[in-house]
Amino acid sequence: MTDFIIPKPPQQEKFKENLQNLLMCPECKEDPPHLVEEFSSGDMVCGSCGLVLGERIIDTRSEWRTFSNDDQGNDDPSRVGDGPNQLIDGDQLQTTIAFDGKNGKNLSHLQNKITQDKNSKQLMQAYRDIQGLTDSINAGTQVANAAKHIYKLVEDNKALKGKSQEAITAGCIFIACRQTGVPRTFREIYSLTKVSKKEIGRVFKQLESFLQKIGGEEHAITTSIPTFNQQYQGKGSTTATELCARYCSNLNFRNSVAVEDVARQLADKTSTISELAGRSPLSVAAACIYMASHIRNESRTSKDIAAVAGVSDGTVKTAYRLLYNKKDKLLEEIFPEGVPNLDKLPAN
């Protein structure tokens, strides 16, 4: 008989990670790259321009565990569990029973009935409303936390009794936007609710009076939010200069920084134009961006800018005509060596 030799299958090479791959910022293109691992947010960020290059990176640092006596006042650097939430009352150490079938449903319902009172449920619902509204206008986490803190101050002091919760929530968000330096107009906040504009205006004034009152007492506003670790001071309405940055970003200019710089300088100087002094900052900001876009040769139509600013096309053109009449004086101060693309500026 003939012996058959079965050939052995070729051995597959073990997977080896290619260590030659280099993560580089597509904006800066620095070599070697200047990368920063922000473990608090889980992001890999370019240290030069701030561009996020990776999300949810793994924290490779060691976990710490100590057995020190708490009475000695030693810090325990363990990262087990979340820290206490200062916006919620209680020790926050209760055990939560999950919903699991029929038995889980009964136990979970019974626990909620025993451990959660009506006031806590209303407070948590208000926090959820604030979070949802701030997310809808892209106001950020700092504004949401500040608005929640203001709302809790109102609840703890039993202020604004009889007022609509929706109006109080809108007023807290509006004040939080001003205090944290996030420009949002009253029209944007008003559009989030179904409450009348007059009612929100009244609640806003009462909220400011309330915050100024408790800010002068011994229990002044103290929180983890740096903006409120001081006596409350009311701030003026949102200016056209503050709105220019956000509007330019939404218009997707190729060189948004250059257009924004000219628009902000124009907006700063509009206070010297008596015809524009009493106009809405929305229309003034839109008119400044309209002129700046033509100067930087990245023109946008008045309709496009009006849609971003939330005003009508006619309002933008009216404000622009008033700005155009004073262009020689305004632009000479901004461009002492000559205005680029001056001949491309439309008359209306």
Side-chain angles (χ1 to χ4, degrees), residues 214-279:
I214 67 171
E217 298 176 358
E218 293 182 358
H219 58 285
I221 304 175
T222 305
T223 174
S224 59
I225 305 168
T227 308
F228 288 97
N229 291 337
Q230 55 192 353
Q231 185 174 352
Y232 174 81
Q233 294 180 349
K235 295 188 177 182
S237 59
T238 304
T239 62
T241 307
E242 294 173 328
L243 294 173
C244 285
R246 186 154 56 95
Y247 291 169
C248 287
S249 177
N250 293 337
L251 287 166
N252 298 320
F253 292 108
R254 292 192 306 274
N255 192 351
S256 180
V257 176
V259 178
E260 178 192 334
D261 181 54
V262 177
R264 289 173 67 92
Q265 292 187 65
L266 285 170
D268 285 335
K269 298 181 182 301
T270 53
S271 58
T272 60
I273 304 176
S274 57
E275 293 85 350
L276 289 173
R279 289 195 164 270

Side-chain angles (χ1 to χ4, degrees), residues 25 28 34 38 44-53:
C25 176
C28 302
H34 180 205
E38 295 186 350
M44 178 76 73
V45 182
C46 175
S48 300
C49 68
L51 182 67
V52 178
L53 303 178

Side-chain angles (χ1 to χ4, degrees), residues 110-300:
L110 181 62
Q111 186 203 30
N112 291 335
K113 203 169 183 179
I114 295 173
T115 58
Q116 293 187 8
D117 57 359
K118 185 178 180 181
N119 292 333
S120 298
K121 290 182 179 179
Q122 290 179 348
L123 191 63
M124 296 304 297
Q125 182 59 45
Y127 289 164
R128 285 191 289 270
D129 293 341
I130 290 173
Q131 189 66 52
L133 293 174
T134 51
D135 288 344
S136 65
I137 58 174
N138 298 320
T141 305
Q142 188 179 14
V143 174
N145 291 338
K148 291 174 185 177
H149 177 71
I150 297 172
Y151 187 91
K152 191 171 190 307
L153 288 174
V154 174
E155 285 293 307
D156 292 345
N157 290 274
K158 307 298 180 185
L160 304 182
K161 289 185 177 180
K163 295 297 181 182
S164 166
Q165 179 174 327
E166 197 173 10
I168 297 175
T169 300
C172 291
I173 294 174
F174 192 40
I175 291 179
C177 287
R178 287 191 173 183
Q179 293 296 314
T180 54
V182 179
R184 293 295 184 272
T185 62
F186 184 77
R187 182 182 299 179
E188 290 178 278
I189 305 299
Y190 161 70
S191 63
L192 298 175
T193 67
K194 298 179 181 178
V195 187
S196 66
K197 191 181 295 186
K198 288 184 179 180
E199 179 65 17
I200 295 180
R202 290 195 208 100
V203 170
F204 168 70
K205 291 180 180 178
Q206 292 176 5
L207 274 173
E208 280 205 318
S209 301
F210 163 71
L211 293 174
Q212 289 172 353
K213 178 182 177 182
I214 67 171
E217 298 176 358
E218 293 182 358
H219 58 285
I221 304 175
T222 305
T223 174
S224 59
I225 305 168
T227 308
F228 288 97
N229 291 337
Q230 55 192 353
Q231 185 174 352
Y232 174 81
Q233 294 180 349
K235 295 188 177 182
S237 59
T238 304
T239 62
T241 307
E242 294 173 328
L243 294 173
C244 285
R246 186 154 56 95
Y247 291 169
C248 287
S249 177
N250 293 337
L251 287 166
N252 298 320
F253 292 108
R254 292 192 306 274
N255 192 351
S256 180
V257 176
V259 178
E260 178 192 334
D261 181 54
V262 177
R264 289 173 67 92
Q265 292 187 65
L266 285 170
D268 285 335
K269 298 181 182 301
T270 53
S271 58
T272 60
I273 304 176
S274 57
E275 293 85 350
L276 289 173
R279 289 195 164 270
S280 168
L282 283 76
S283 59
V284 175
C288 293
I289 294 173
Y290 186 54
M291 178 176 286
S293 66
H294 285 83
I295 292 175
R296 290 304 184 188
N297 200 22
E298 292 195 43
S299 59
R300 294 289 189 274

